[in-house]
Amino acid sequence: MYNSEAIHNVHYGKKYNNKPQNFIEWIIAYADKASASSRTFLPRNKEVFENFLEFAEKLQELYDIGSKEYIEEIKNKVVENEEDSEELRTYGLISPDENKAISLAEKLINAEKDLCGGKNLLAFYHFEIPSIKSYLNRGRELSIYAGYSIMIDSLIHDASDYIKSKIGKEVIISDEGGSLLAIVPSSFNSKEMIKSLDLSPFETYKENFMEFKLAEAHLGPEENWKNWRSEDPYFRDSLRGFGTLINKFLSSPGKINKVNNNNVIPIDKLCNKCKINYAKDGKECESCKKAELFYKTFTSMSRNKSADPQISEKIKRLRIYKLVEEIQERNEEKILVKVWDTVDDLNKDFNGNEVELKKRRYPVVMVGDGDNFGQLKSSVTTLTQYLEINRFFTYMTYYSIFYALEKTAINFYKHFSSPVIEFQPILLGGDDFSLILTSQELIPFLYYMDEALVKIGGRVDKDSQKNYADAAEMISSKKPYQWFGISIGAYIYKNTAYPIFLAREDAEELEHISKNVSKGVFQGKYFGSEVIVTIMDEKSKGLLEKIKEKNGICILGNNMRNIYETILKFENSGISSKKILDYIKLEGDKIRIFYDVARNNSESLEIVMETISNAIRNGYDIEGYLVLLGTLMSSLEQKNFEGKEYYKTPWENIGVIQNESL
Ligand SMILES: [Zn+2]
């Protein structure tokens, strides 16, 4: 179901039709194969590799995967750094002699000298628009904010398409998430490519270029070949690989080139939208106009209406559009995807009529980012692994968002003749994303996103020793050996006049809290993938300083179901979000809260006690948890739509509508 043109596979089986087409693609393929045949993935954290070997040992008891002795030998080398064994065909990998791998790769190291007089054949090339945020920050309104994001995404694909057509499809390493990374011939000159791009809406663009030796793709940057002395061979070899070479390249400064010179602009000619550029008509600058055109084209296409043909072609390539298209197509248009002209559309029903205050939906700006993805990518040893891991994370992020939107539409947002999902994707990068949802969709979305991630990557409690029923279960069950969760910040704002770029900054601050709590709490508990989320609104954010270290405000996506059921119970027993905020004033003091409830709302004592003991059982801090509950309740209370209340769908009935598995 999922097909991204952006990430190419470098496996060349008989049936694979993306075989290298030209000289440069063959060189890349060769260099990578030479490397892959001798190397394995060495996670920088040795413990992860040890866990993997343990699994291999268990598996060996059931199937012959290369003899017990062989695994034992690798284990001894990795774990106890035993002397190198001549039988072990590791091409010098993890050898105590740091020069072993180098001398074994002599032919490869001398390849350039032997083939082309010592000249490097290959180079990395990177292209991006620097400080994307400075453009997004021009967007007080949705059309400008999302428009700039779509326009930049599209520009990167223009650059990528240019390189694909001139050099080859296989040379693109990644072109999602606002930058382009490719392997090019060292003779590559970007001048013609730059000329072909429309850079007029931007002040600057940034390029980076670095030649490398074929052997460096195999052994990492040349400076890592020597002077390791008594350093642990495992650690040494985890830094002698393709990931380290890419890291070296990506951390080098690159060159920023100017496109436009910003002269002093008379105040009456300043663009009304961005307040930065010159506006010929005194209203809107050309850049903002273009950004808006990109956004309008996106919304028209999403509504299956005619749109600017040239820009439509550009937008078709983007993953944010593919997401919308796929939800519509896969469900034979049974799901209505609703995109907005402005966030004020949330104050209206689907026919465009204003609705009363208590029926409005609130916008939620959401940003998310993979926790250890960058670190994992940097520890790969070959290009193939890099592409595979990149593809895996890209797929994981895309699929979990797709799954969550679809499930939310089908199971929750169905108070209409057909299920609806309202959202605006802003960016779907490789391992980061941002989108705007409604507060009504937030709870199921996070729950299902977490569910999707667990389906893909699995999740295990670090402390629980799993006993498998049989060999089949042992092999088929997911065995994550490290953490690859996604940290999310979600900011609900009730005043739709609030500038979107500020809401995004709030969401980023909350994402940061998720990252901290993820590191401090959840990563100590689990292996595998999960959604960690922190949610606040303009009111509760005032309490942030008090509770930001606590995990109650920041929870696992899976626990969203408890939250939903608790809100339902509270609603039914007449506890309002206002009451919750009163409890928060009691600073998480259980006894005082119970006393207050017993005195003022004695009939709801049982449910409050149950909620609080549940939160404690899940390891959550009460104060933080109550803030989260209060935040969500105040954005959902009394909300009904088309005559039906939000809470009319009890969770246990969900899933009655069966959907084919993805
Ligand atoms: Zn402007």
Side-chain angles (χ1 to χ4, degrees):
M1 54 145 266
Y2 167 59
N3 170 32
S4 164
E5 294 237 321
I7 293 164
H8 297 292
N9 207 319
V10 199
H11 290 298
Y12 303 111
K14 247 188 183 164
K15 284 187 189 147
Y16 189 68
N17 44 21
N18 269 345
K19 280 182 187 159
Q21 300 293 326
N22 57 33
F23 165 72
I24 197 83
E25 289 185 340
W26 273 113
I27 291 182
I28 293 171
Y30 168 75
D32 194 57
K33 283 290 165 201
S35 181
S37 63
S38 64
R39 299 294 296 271
T40 176
F41 182 66
L42 286 187
R44 197 132 316 147
N45 178 357
K46 201 198 265 187
E47 196 194 328
V48 173
F49 198 65
E50 286 170 20
N51 282 335
F52 173 72
L53 286 174
E54 240 167 66
F55 172 68
E57 269 184 327
K58 277 188 211 154
L59 198 62
Q60 176 63 36
E61 287 167 18
L62 303 158
Y63 299 96
D64 186 17
I65 54 166
S67 92
K68 198 172 169 216
E69 291 69 33
Y70 184 68
I71 297 169
E72 197 59 32
E73 227 167 331
I74 299 176
K75 199 176 167 190
N76 287 340
K77 284 191 84 166
V78 172
V79 182
E80 280 124 37
N81 296 332
E82 229 184 35
E83 283 293 296
D84 196 11
S85 141
E86 284 309 317
E87 289 86 8
L88 209 56
R89 297 175 61 237
T90 57
Y91 298 87
L93 187 75
I94 331 181
S95 164
D97 175 4
E98 66 170 78
N99 294 316
K100 188 113 183 193
I102 308 296
S103 57
L104 283 169
E106 209 188 328
K107 260 253 167 305
L108 190 63
I109 290 171
N110 291 323
E112 282 94 349
K113 223 182 277 165
D114 296 344
L115 291 171
C116 43
K119 215 178 146 295
N120 285 333
L121 292 170
L122 300 178
F124 288 121
Y125 176 70
H126 190 253
F127 172 83
E128 68 178 337
I129 296 297
S131 55
I132 291 179
K133 242 179 135 173
S134 75
Y135 297 98
L136 299 188
N137 285 359
R138 297 169 187 192
R140 302 177 65 82
E141 306 155 40
L142 180 61
S143 58
I144 302 282
Y145 178 81
Y148 271 104
S149 182
I150 298 171
M151 192 159 68
I152 292 169
D153 199 0
S154 170
L155 177 80
I156 296 301
H157 282 80
D158 288 340
S160 177
D161 285 351
Y162 182 93
I163 289 183
K164 279 181 201 161
S165 72
K166 298 287 173 193
I167 304 172
K169 248 182 145 180
E170 298 289 330
V171 304
I172 303 294
I173 297 178
S174 75
D175 57 5
E176 302 294 348
S179 74
L180 168 73
L181 176 62
I183 293 181
V184 295
S186 57
S187 58
F188 176 71
N189 185 334
S190 65
K191 231 172 153 183
E192 288 303 313
M193 184 197 90
I194 297 295
K195 242 198 255 169
S196 77
L197 301 174
D198 177 12
L199 289 162
S200 65
F202 310 104
E203 269 106 66
T204 57
Y205 65 93
K206 188 174 164 188
E207 288 183 294
N208 201 359
F209 184 85
M210 184 183 91
E211 291 183 10
F212 61 89
K213 294 189 164 91
L214 285 173
E216 285 182 304
H218 169 53
L219 291 163
E222 197 171 358
E223 55 270 30
N224 284 4
W225 296 0
K226 285 190 196 115
N227 297 325
W228 288 94
R229 292 185 194 97
S230 61
E231 196 61 74
D232 179 9
Y234 184 94
F235 174 70
R236 177 199 69 211
D237 284 349
S238 77
L239 290 169
R240 276 181 176 178
F242 185 77
T244 318
L245 185 66
I246 282 224
N247 245 19
K248 177 190 168 185
F249 171 60
L250 293 179
S251 53
S252 62
K255 187 169 176 275
I256 292 181
N257 304 286
K258 256 188 171 326
V259 181
N260 294 318
N261 280 318
N262 257 337
N263 298 321
V264 180
I265 300 162
I267 197 89
D268 62 326
K269 290 287 182 194
L270 205 58
C271 169
N272 280 339
K273 306 277 179 176
C274 65
K275 315 243 187 264
I276 290 174
N277 293 338
Y278 175 77
K280 213 159 63 187
D281 55 9
K283 284 179 191 146
E284 190 173 2
C285 71
E286 295 309 305
S287 303
C288 289
K289 274 183 194 160
K290 238 173 229 170
E292 279 198 301
L293 180 60
F294 268 89
Y295 184 69
K296 276 189 187 134
T297 309
F298 173 85
T299 51
S300 299
M301 289 168 75
S302 303
R303 291 166 184 153
N304 297 316
K305 293 204 172 117
S306 66
D308 184 301
Q310 232 184 332
I311 294 183
S312 298
E313 281 310 307
K314 289 179 182 290
I315 286 177
K316 270 184 196 155
R317 303 169 301 179
L318 309 184
R319 282 148 45 82
I320 59 162
Y321 179 68
K322 285 178 184 158
L323 179 69
V324 170
E325 200 184 26
E326 223 171 306
I327 293 174
Q328 287 172 337
E329 274 175 11
R330 228 179 71 84
N331 293 281
E332 292 156 359
E333 323 254 316
K334 280 198 294 265
I335 292 182
L336 174 69
V337 176
K338 181 114 171 53
V339 292
W340 310 302
D341 291 324
T342 78
V343 283
D344 287 328
D345 287 2
L346 294 176
N347 300 333
K348 297 170 186 163
D349 64 19
F350 292 166
N351 298 319
N353 304 313
E354 292 275 339
V355 293
E356 53 187 303
L357 201 62
K358 68 170 192 175
K359 288 186 181 177
R360 289 179 184 176
R361 292 92 72 212
Y362 299 125
V364 185
V365 174
M366 191 188 290
V367 293
D369 183 30
D371 284 339
N372 291 328
F373 294 7
Q375 187 261 331
L376 267 170
K377 276 195 240 174
S378 78
S379 55
V380 304
T381 43
T382 67
L383 170 62
T384 301
Q385 282 172 3
Y386 192 92
L387 292 171
E388 288 291 334
I389 287 195
N390 208 24
R391 194 174 58 155
F392 177 70
F393 287 149
T394 307
Y395 168 74
M396 202 166 98
T397 313
Y398 179 91
Y399 168 83
S400 57
I401 290 172
F402 175 87
Y403 178 91
L405 290 169
E406 191 179 73
K407 287 274 181 189
T408 301
I410 291 171
N411 293 333
F412 271 84
Y413 227 51
K414 56 178 182 189
H415 310 317
F416 314 97
S417 46
S418 62
V420 179
I421 189 80
E422 297 188 88
F423 73 106
Q424 174 61 46
I426 303 295
L427 178 80
L428 291 171
D431 44 27
D432 59 340
F433 73 93
S434 87
L435 50 94
I436 304 174
L437 277 176
T438 70
S439 52
Q440 275 89 343
E441 294 163 323
L442 184 60
I443 291 178
F445 177 87
L446 292 167
Y447 176 84
Y448 289 122
M449 186 169 177
D450 189 59
E451 186 174 271
L453 287 176
V454 173
K455 276 187 182 195
I456 300 169
R459 169 158 72 221
V460 293
D461 206 311
K462 267 187 174 175
D463 299 327
S464 77
Q465 279 289 329
K466 180 130 175 62
N467 291 316
Y468 300 106
D470 52 30
E473 194 194 317
M474 177 173 146
I475 292 163
S476 61
S477 68
K478 296 254 178 2
K479 293 161 214 70
Y481 292 115
Q482 60 187 55
W483 173 273
F484 37 97
I486 293 182
S487 290
I488 294 179
Y491 185 73
I492 305 170
Y493 62 109
K494 295 175 183 170
N495 178 1
T496 51
Y498 189 62
I500 291 194
F501 77 89
L502 288 180
R504 167 164 182 131
E505 277 173 17
D506 292 317
E508 278 173 355
E509 197 182 341
L510 299 176
E511 181 196 12
H512 195 69
I513 291 171
S514 294
K515 284 227 177 274
N516 283 343
V517 178
S518 166
K519 223 178 260 165
V521 179
F522 294 106
Q523 296 188 28
K525 273 166 103 171
Y526 304 106
F527 281 132
S529 49
E530 33 268 285
V531 160
I532 304 296
V533 63
T534 306
I535 305 165
M536 292 197 124
D537 62 13
E538 56 247 273
K539 212 167 176 187
S540 58
K541 205 157 169 266
L543 298 163
L544 188 60
E545 275 311 306
K546 258 176 88 179
I547 51 163
K548 66 178 182 185
E549 305 295 330
K550 300 178 178 172
N551 63 346
I553 186 69
C554 172
I555 69 167
L556 207 61
N558 185 262
N559 287 129
M560 278 295 156
R561 180 174 171 161
N562 299 44
I563 297 262
Y564 180 83
E565 284 167 346
T566 304
I567 293 177
L568 181 65
K569 281 183 201 157
F570 279 13
E571 276 288 312
N572 289 340
S573 58
I575 302 173
S576 63
S577 65
K578 245 188 175 157
K579 198 71 219 160
I580 300 283
L581 292 171
D582 285 345
Y583 300 155
I584 294 165
K585 288 189 195 120
L586 302 174
E587 298 183 323
D589 184 331
K590 205 167 70 176
I591 306 298
R592 281 171 69 199
I593 293 172
F594 290 159
Y595 177 72
D596 182 273
V597 178
R599 208 179 49 180
N600 300 314
N601 306 65
S602 56
E603 67 288 350
S604 48
L605 181 62
E606 200 183 325
I607 143 138
V608 173
M609 283 176 81
E610 188 196 317
T611 303
I612 287 180
S613 14
N614 268 342
I616 294 172
R617 208 177 31 244
N618 281 324
Y620 290 132
D621 166 75
I622 299 170
E623 205 180 356
Y625 193 78
L626 286 175
V627 173
L628 177 66
L629 211 53
T631 302
L632 286 168
M633 281 181 72
S634 76
S635 76
L636 296 173
E637 266 169 349
Q638 299 159 1
K639 286 284 177 297
N640 58 43
F641 213 59
E642 307 282 291
K644 295 213 176 119
E645 276 166 25
Y646 175 76
Y647 307 101
K648 278 281 149 71
T649 314
W651 200 287
E652 50 268 32
N653 288 355
I654 289 162
V656 172
I657 302 172
Q658 284 299 326
N659 204 29
E660 62 176 288
S661 65
L662 292 170

